[in-house]
Amino acid sequence: AVPRGERQNIKPNTQSLSGASMPLDIQQFREENGGDLAVLRKSQAARHQPVEAIDEVVEADKLWVKAEFAVNQAKKNKNAASKQIGLIMRNKELSKEEKTQQAAAMRAKSKEMDEEVKQAEERRAKLAVELETKLRAIGNLVHPGVPVAKTENDNRVERTWGVPFQTGKERHHHELLHMIGGFEAERGVQVAGHRAYFLRGVGVMLNQALINYGLAFLHKEGYTPLQPPYFMKKDVMAKTAQLSEFDEALYKLVGENEEYYMIATSEQPISALHMGDWLEGEQLPIAYAGLSTCFRKEAGSHGKDAWGIFRVHQFEKVEQFVVCKPEDSWKWHKKMLQTAERFYQSLKIPYRVINIVSGELNNAAARKFDVEAWFPTLGVFRELVSSSNCTDYQSRAMETRYGFKPMKGSPAAQTKQYVHMLNATLTATERTICCLLENYQDEKGVHVPEVLQPFMGGIKFMPFVNDPPKAVAGQSSTKKKGKGKGKNKNKGKGKGKN
């Protein structure tokens, strides 16, 4: 048995056999060390996940602690046996023959202890993997301000900006992009399969304009532009992506000696940028403007948003990512959302801010807001921005800490704390293009938003150069019209994020 009080001082090795670190502090599951299981169960229930999973973690931890104690005890016994051999050999009261016999017997016993240590370590490693697996299935603690509900139908509208309009004569964004000569859809599919496309002409220029304007916008806000790798090692990706994402969202690459995964968002590699770092308090906050091409399978979305470039396998995105002290993270969450709002206000796009329900939060997010912009052709709001505070969920997995120097006269040691990490889309450019096309169209073409014109070489208007594309399966893509009341049958995207 583990002696009383011993369990609270034991922490699992954060680098278990799988190589993935734990995103939650195991001490939260130890009541004898101040852990509050009621808080954990309440959060798990809010996520509409099995509450029993909390108890499974507790039981798995108890088994691991016993195994850890057994390893330590086996090593102590082994060390004691080694010391005993030395005592035997130095015992002047024993004859040479007696020393030889007793030492040989103790060496044989010590050899048996080597096997006991090995078996104890193997059991501990196995239980560590089981504990980690169960712990990683538990989501971050849900913030009190999150609406407690299961589905996106109960997402709460926090505020709106701008005046949505709808004349009933608007064309769908895929038609508009074709008519201005902005993309090649059919040829893209021929080359790369479903949802593939070529951007061309003004489509390329508009995409680059959004990228460059987005980077300039964030740079003025104090963000440092950062372009990450477009693929990650499997063990590193496992620290930041949910297990479900590996099958549903991520493309796999196989190298000569290692597996890699293409990134679905720059959040993934940026969250690993400071992996293993111990940052100084004065270095924080760090605000990055991530720029990347993103790759996503969109598994399970067949038939959804099949027209145009709204939901595609490859897209560009400018992302806000902040590393900060825990006491500052909620202020940053508010600031990042406001930054995204100002960006779309500058584009003069009507939008609404959505508070995502607890049942639709991904594991890392303690709270998430979406910005849904107005698409007049079908009279709906669609997600363009997702802003999440992941608190220390990602930083624990990445072992990204910060330390503050103690006051003079106190022990010269640093106090270990984990930074908080937050992310927020600024623009997923292809999706934003869809929105701009619908909101800036007229009967002759599409106007360029004023703030983008300097990044378009002064182009103010993109005239139609092609006839409308042929209807698919005998139906017009704009046949179904909304009523212009701002109602959205597709309320938020929950766990999805572009």
Side-chain angles (χ1 to χ4, degrees):
V2 181
R4 183 179 179 85
E6 183 75 14
R7 181 170 176 250
Q8 68 183 41
N9 298 317
I10 296 178
K11 295 183 179 181
N13 185 349
T14 56
Q15 286 300 116
S16 67
L17 293 183
S18 69
S21 302
M22 297 185 180
L24 290 173
D25 186 356
I26 192 61
Q27 302 298 344
Q28 292 179 289
F29 296 81
R30 294 174 175 172
E31 289 184 303
E32 67 272 29
N33 201 34
D36 192 335
L37 298 183
V39 170
L40 293 168
R41 292 188 182 107
K42 181 179 179 181
S43 178
Q44 187 77 345
R47 289 178 175 274
H48 291 267
Q49 297 297 319
V51 175
E52 304 79 49
I54 303 298
D55 299 311
E56 291 176 5
V57 171
V58 172
E59 291 305 311
D61 179 48
K62 289 179 179 178
L63 292 175
W64 183 90
V65 168
K66 289 181 180 178
E68 173 74 358
F69 182 78
V71 168
N72 293 335
Q73 194 63 43
K75 288 182 176 180
K76 286 181 182 178
N77 294 339
K78 165 68 178 177
N79 291 335
S82 298
K83 291 180 180 179
Q84 187 64 29
I85 294 172
L87 292 175
I88 291 172
M89 298 306 295
R90 291 192 298 272
N91 191 339
K92 296 180 180 180
E93 297 180 359
L94 298 176
S95 66
K96 183 177 181 180
E97 184 178 352
E98 288 174 328
K99 288 181 180 180
T100 301
Q101 290 177 347
Q102 291 183 24
M106 187 57 66
R107 288 191 183 95
K109 187 175 182 181
S110 178
K111 189 173 183 179
E112 292 177 0
M113 290 179 179
D114 285 338
E115 184 60 28
E116 290 176 2
V117 171
K118 180 182 177 182
Q119 291 179 1
E121 288 178 334
E122 289 176 349
R123 173 169 171 75
R124 179 186 63 179
K126 178 183 177 182
L127 291 172
V129 172
E130 293 177 1
L131 172 57
E132 177 198 304
T133 300
K134 293 181 183 298
L135 191 59
R136 284 181 62 82
I138 308 299
N140 204 344
L141 292 178
V142 176
H143 186 273
V146 174
V148 177
K150 186 175 183 179
T151 70
E152 61 188 23
N153 293 328
D154 295 310
N155 286 342
R156 189 169 70 210
V157 178
E158 296 292 336
R159 56 185 172 273
T160 61
W161 184 90
V163 180
F165 69 92
Q166 187 181 42
T167 67
K169 298 179 180 180
E170 292 87 3
R171 291 189 176 276
H172 192 266
H173 55 77
H174 90 282
E175 294 179 302
L176 296 165
L177 191 56
H178 170 80
M179 293 170 71
I180 63 174
F183 84 141
E184 293 279 0
E186 294 181 3
R187 290 183 174 90
V189 172
Q190 290 173 358
V191 171
H194 184 54
R195 298 185 190 273
Y197 59 96
F198 286 90
L199 284 181
R200 65 176 300 168
V202 289
V204 175
M205 295 182 70
L206 189 55
N207 197 47
Q208 293 300 315
L210 278 168
I211 291 172
N212 291 328
Y213 175 55
L215 289 175
F217 191 91
L218 290 182
H219 186 261
K220 289 181 179 179
E221 296 285 332
Y223 289 71
T224 300
L226 185 68
Q227 188 166 348
Y230 290 174
F231 57 88
M232 298 170 64
K233 296 178 180 179
K234 180 180 180 180
D235 62 325
V236 180
M237 181 66 85
K239 296 174 187 287
T240 190
Q242 286 184 213
L243 182 62
S244 60
E245 286 189 282
F246 277 78
D247 294 326
E248 295 176 5
L250 303 180
Y251 285 103
K252 181 179 179 179
L253 299 176
V254 180
E256 291 185 4
N257 300 309
E258 193 162 8
E259 293 180 358
Y260 303 89
Y261 284 87
M262 303 295 288
I263 65 171
T265 166
S266 64
E267 169 201 342
Q268 293 164 339
I270 297 177
S271 70
L273 176 64
H274 295 287
M275 181 170 58
D277 287 353
W278 196 323
L279 302 170
E280 296 291 336
E282 51 267 27
Q283 291 178 266
L284 302 174
I286 306 172
Y288 292 115
L291 167 64
S292 69
T293 299
C294 306
F295 305 88
R296 184 169 297 173
K297 285 182 180 179
E298 295 289 357
S301 64
H302 296 291
K304 296 180 180 179
D305 309 309
W307 286 309
I309 58 173
F310 185 86
R311 188 185 297 273
V312 288
H313 296 307
Q314 174 184 320
F315 56 94
E316 281 69 51
K317 185 167 67 159
V318 179
E319 178 91 358
Q320 303 176 71
F321 194 95
V322 169
V323 181
C324 68
K325 295 178 182 179
E327 60 265 31
D328 296 332
S329 69
W330 293 109
K331 290 185 293 186
W332 268 104
H333 194 213
K334 181 179 180 180
K335 179 179 178 180
M336 293 164 75
L337 180 59
Q338 290 174 339
T339 298
E341 288 187 66
R342 287 197 304 274
F343 180 79
Y344 289 96
Q345 289 171 11
S346 74
L347 293 171
K348 299 180 181 178
I349 297 295
Y351 66 81
R352 65 185 187 182
V353 176
I354 302 295
N355 195 346
I356 302 300
V357 297
S358 55
E360 290 290 343
L361 294 175
N362 56 32
N363 277 4
R367 193 178 195 185
K368 182 167 77 166
F369 292 97
D370 282 357
V371 174
E372 296 181 343
W374 176 247
F375 283 70
T377 303
L378 297 180
V380 294
F381 286 94
R382 310 295 304 274
E383 176 207 334
L384 293 189
V385 170
S386 185
S387 175
S388 300
N389 188 350
C390 298
T391 63
D392 61 356
Y393 196 89
Q394 291 175 321
S395 59
R396 284 183 178 276
M398 293 297 175
E399 277 295 303
T400 305
R401 301 146 291 173
Y402 82 98
F404 57 90
K405 293 182 179 180
M407 296 176 63
K408 291 182 180 181
S410 61
Q414 289 185 314
T415 301
K416 179 178 177 179
Q417 275 190 294
Y418 289 93
V419 299
H420 279 197
M421 294 183 174
L422 306 90
N423 63 83
T425 316
L426 186 75
T427 172
T429 56
E430 280 79 359
R431 186 169 285 199
T432 304
I433 286 173
C434 296
C435 185
L436 292 176
L437 293 175
E438 291 199 9
N439 280 277
Y440 279 85
Q441 64 178 294
D442 66 20
E443 66 278 2
K444 294 183 179 180
V446 179
H447 296 267
V448 176
E450 185 177 355
V451 293
L452 294 183
Q453 291 172 13
F455 300 92
M456 289 279 291
I459 296 175
K460 298 181 179 181
F461 185 73
M462 298 174 289
F464 293 143
V465 295
N466 294 322
D467 293 331
K470 295 180 181 179
V472 179
Q475 293 184 356
S476 170
S477 62
T478 56
K479 183 177 181 180
K480 294 182 179 180
K481 298 287 184 179
K483 295 181 180 180
K485 301 296 184 181
K487 294 183 179 180
N488 186 4
K489 295 180 180 179
N490 190 5
K491 295 183 179 179
K493 289 293 175 285
K495 299 174 184 176
K497 178 172 180 280
N498 263 6

